[in-house]
């Protein structure tokens, strides 16, 4: 994983979008948002932590996501009318800890995603893959204007 | 409708309900850690009492939250208010139990956080006096909170020995666990008896440091994955963790509990907070309003 990211980062890449609501790790919408009425500040802080800047890599349809909460490598396969599917690896400071997959729709500068995050409890502080969660996720991103693939 | 169902799939409330602990003998009703407060808490039948112990210069355990006589709740015996500057502090490690009890009265000052608290001005209670009260209430779960704060306190091994030996000498049948803000006294308790359940109040908020900055620092570390609840408990050699609700992260708490680490949350003083956090898989919720009438 580290080798792949190193290779990808060795090439120039460009900004694609900011996912205000990111699909990885997907914990904010499932765990933190319900606590908002009693823990508003914490909910807001964790919203910020999961905001993900997505970078388009030189490899076609490959994206690097970077947030405090997660760092991911995702492949997006476009279909038609802006629709597509995606899947990828999510990490905690480059320690693989789960996957993300789903479908998305890109129109103009907006990207909407719907999918699932499969996430473990593994971190560098405690490399433990015994606990897993499958979380439904929603993604809302804003960024570069979408250009439909040629052909 | 689909969206609501979709979003509901990720969160499952824990079965059962956490134990409710009366924080400082239920400071919402009577002065914290007071003889009257603890007596009333026992009379009310609260399931768990939490209280704090500090050691005096002559190694007597007294019931008080801070390593110094707290000027926000105590006065001199003649009613004179204590200075609130750091230089004015009277540390328990520097005075005897007799001086503490004869020299100060606590519980007669209005506390902004507890507007409905009944004021009762009385001497600082000893651990022995509290144990006298607890006898006859075998079903009360005890949360013994050792308030050791490094150089501001007597040595941690002395804390462990004095507190636990006095408790064990009574041979009370009550279930109990021991907590502290730093691992050192808990490790000393474990040396005395490894079967004692110890809970580390994490994170520590060192005196003089901004609690907000400390909390943000730990929030970032746990989010980045450079700190982990199970790793923290393992490194500190404690059995459980006691976490302020403001820094608790539900997913991480769930994972830690599923890994076998019991967790308590403190201090929840609203009805909404108690209800919301009551759905987490935690062992206990600590509150100043254990009667179910939190605002």
């Amino acid at each position: 994983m580290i080798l792949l990211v190193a290779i990808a980062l060795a090439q120039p890449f460009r900004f694609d979008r900011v996912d205000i609501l990111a699909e990885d790790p997907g914990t904010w919408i499932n765990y933190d948002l319900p606590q908002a009425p009693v823990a508003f500040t914490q909910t807001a802080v964790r919203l910020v932590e999961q905001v993900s800047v997505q970078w388009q890599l030189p490899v076609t349809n490959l994206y690097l996501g970077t947030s405090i909460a997660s760092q991911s490598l995702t492949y997006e396969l476009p279909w038609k009318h802006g629709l597509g599917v995606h899947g990828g690896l999510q990490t905690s400071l480059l320690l693989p800890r789960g996957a993300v997959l789903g479908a998305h729709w890109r129109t103009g500068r907006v990207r909407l995603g719907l999918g699932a995050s499969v996430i473990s409890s593994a971190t560098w502080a405690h490399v433990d893959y015994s606990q897993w969660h499958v979380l439904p996720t929603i993604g809302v991103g804003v960024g570069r204007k979408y250009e439909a693939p040629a052909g | 409708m689909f969206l609501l169902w979709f979003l509901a799939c990720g969160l499952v409330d824990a079965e059962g309900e956490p134990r409710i602990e009366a924080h400082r003998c239920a400071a919402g009703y009577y002065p914290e850690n007071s003889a009257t407060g603890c007596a009333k808490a026992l009379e009310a039948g609260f399931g768990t009492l939490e209280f704090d112990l500090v050691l005096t210069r002559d190694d007597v355990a007294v019931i008080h939250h801070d390593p110094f006589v707290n000027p926000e709740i105590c006065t001199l015996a003649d009613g004179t208010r204590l200075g609130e500057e750091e230089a004015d502090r009277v540390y328990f490690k520097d005075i005897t139990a007799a001086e503490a009890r004869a020299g100060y009265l606590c519980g007669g000052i209005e506390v902004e956080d507890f507007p409905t608290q009944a004021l009762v001005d009385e001497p600082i209670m000893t651990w022995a006096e509290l144990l006298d009260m607890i006898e006859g209430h075998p079903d009360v779960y005890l949360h013994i909170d050792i308030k050791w704060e490094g150089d501001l306190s007597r040595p941690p091994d002395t804390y462990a020995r004095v507190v636990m030996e006095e408790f064990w000498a009574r041979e009370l049948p009550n279930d109990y666990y021991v907590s502290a803000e730093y691992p050192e006294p808990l490790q000393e308790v474990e040396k005395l008896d490894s079967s004692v359940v110890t809970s580390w109040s994490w994170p520590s908020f060192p005196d003089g440091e901004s609690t907000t900055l400390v909390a943000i620092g730990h929030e970032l570390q746990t989010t980045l994955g450079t700190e982990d609840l199970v790793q923290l408990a393992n490194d500190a050699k404690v059995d459980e963790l006691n976490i302020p609700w403001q820094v608790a992260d539900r997913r991480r708490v769930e994972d830690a509990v599923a890994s076998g680490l019991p967790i308590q949350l403190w201090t929840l003083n609203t009805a909404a907070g108690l209800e919301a956090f009551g759905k987490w898989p935690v062992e206990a919720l600590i509150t100043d309003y254990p009667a179910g009438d939190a605002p």
Side-chain angles (χ1 to χ4, degrees):
Chain A
M1 171 65 190
I2 294 173
L3 186 61
L4 285 172
V5 172
I7 292 169
L9 290 177
Q11 305 295 325
F13 53 95
R14 67 175 188 179
F15 167 78
D16 183 68
R17 68 184 189 274
V18 175
D19 282 342
I20 299 159
L21 200 56
E23 289 171 72
D24 71 288
T27 50
W28 187 82
I29 203 164
N30 287 282
Y31 286 100
D32 298 309
L33 183 59
Q35 295 285 124
V38 296
F40 180 80
T41 303
Q42 293 80 351
T43 306
V45 166
R46 288 172 188 153
L47 175 64
V48 171
E49 286 176 342
Q50 60 86 57
V51 170
S52 181
V53 179
Q54 297 283 332
W55 308 90
Q56 187 171 17
L57 297 174
V59 177
T60 305
N61 299 327
L62 194 64
Y63 296 85
L64 178 70
T66 53
S67 71
I68 296 172
S70 182
Q71 303 79 44
S72 60
L73 202 60
T74 307
Y75 183 80
E76 295 197 354
L77 184 65
W79 184 37
K80 56 183 179 181
H81 305 305
L83 291 168
V85 293
H86 57 269
L89 187 71
Q90 54 173 308
T91 78
S92 173
L93 290 182
L94 300 184
L95 175 75
R97 58 111 176 261
V100 61
L101 55 124
H104 60 268
W105 177 49
R106 300 193 73 144
T107 176
R109 295 187 180 277
V110 175
R111 177 190 180 279
L112 301 176
L114 199 66
S117 167
V118 182
I119 183 171
S120 74
S121 52
T123 64
W124 285 115
H126 186 60
V127 184
D128 172 33
Y129 291 96
S130 64
Q131 308 301 325
W132 288 88
H133 304 270
V134 179
L135 306 173
T137 60
I138 292 175
V140 178
V142 178
R144 290 178 67 87
K145 197 169 180 184
Y146 173 65
E147 293 167 0
Chain B
M1 205 54 171
F2 168 78
L3 195 59
L4 287 174
W5 166 82
F6 181 74
L7 290 175
C9 291
L11 190 62
V12 178
D13 291 337
E15 292 180 7
E17 289 180 2
R19 189 176 71 245
I20 299 297
E21 297 191 3
H23 184 230
R24 304 184 196 179
C25 287
Y29 311 122
Y30 288 94
E32 63 175 70
N33 290 316
S34 65
T36 297
C38 293
K40 291 291 187 183
L42 287 166
E43 191 180 305
F46 297 140
T48 304
L49 291 197
E50 185 271 345
F51 43 85
D52 308 297
L53 295 110
V54 296
L55 285 199
T56 60
R57 194 182 77 207
D58 49 347
D59 291 340
V60 173
V62 298
I63 312 301
H64 202 77
H65 180 267
D66 302 280
F68 49 88
V69 181
N70 187 350
E72 293 179 8
I73 60 170
C74 303
T75 65
L76 292 177
D78 64 3
T80 306
R81 292 292 298 260
L82 299 171
E84 301 205 6
E85 301 300 317
E86 196 170 326
D88 301 321
R89 288 179 177 173
V90 176
Y91 288 93
F92 283 98
K93 69 177 178 62
D94 297 328
I95 59 175
T96 65
E99 288 168 340
R101 289 170 55 73
Y104 304 92
L105 292 174
C106 302
I109 301 172
E110 282 191 7
V111 179
E112 192 179 328
D113 288 344
F114 304 116
T116 59
Q117 184 190 83
L119 299 181
V120 181
D121 220 4
E122 53 192 19
I124 295 168
M125 177 171 53
T126 65
W127 184 206
E129 289 173 326
L130 179 57
L131 288 170
D132 288 340
M133 282 189 208
I134 291 170
E135 283 187 32
H137 297 274
D139 295 330
V140 174
Y141 202 113
L142 305 175
H143 174 174
I144 302 169
D145 196 6
I146 293 179
K147 287 303 185 189
W148 176 82
E149 293 196 33
D151 292 342
L152 303 180
S153 305
R154 298 282 295 134
D157 56 338
T158 307
Y159 260 80
R161 178 179 53 78
V162 169
V163 170
M164 299 314 299
E165 287 184 354
E166 184 146 23
F167 178 63
W168 289 329
R170 299 296 187 108
E171 296 185 332
L172 296 174
N174 303 70
D175 288 325
Y176 69 97
Y177 74 104
V178 182
S179 70
E181 193 179 351
Y182 297 89
E184 287 88 335
L186 299 176
Q187 290 162 0
E188 295 298 331
V189 169
E190 294 265 1
K191 286 180 191 173
L192 294 174
D193 184 347
S194 60
S195 71
V196 172
V197 176
T198 53
S199 184
W200 177 23
S201 296
W202 175 87
S204 306
F205 293 100
D207 191 40
E209 290 190 27
S210 165
T211 54
T212 301
L213 290 179
V214 169
I216 289 173
H218 287 291
E219 167 71 26
L220 289 175
Q221 287 183 77
T222 50
T223 302
L224 288 168
T226 56
E227 267 187 351
D228 176 271
L229 297 180
V230 174
Q231 159 252 328
L232 288 163
N234 289 343
D235 290 350
K237 300 182 177 56
V238 296
D239 303 307
E240 306 179 350
L241 288 182
N242 207 269
I243 302 174
W245 66 268
Q246 294 91 337
V247 302
D249 178 307
R250 181 161 179 173
R251 177 176 71 89
R252 292 185 176 81
V253 166
E254 286 194 356
D255 287 345
V257 171
S259 296
L261 178 67
I263 289 175
Q264 306 91 29
L265 297 181
W266 57 271
T267 303
L268 288 143
N269 282 342
T270 64
L274 285 163
E275 183 182 351
F277 286 92
K279 297 174 184 174
W280 292 32
V282 293
E283 183 182 80
L285 299 178
I286 301 171
T287 176
D288 292 296
Y289 299 95
D293 55 354

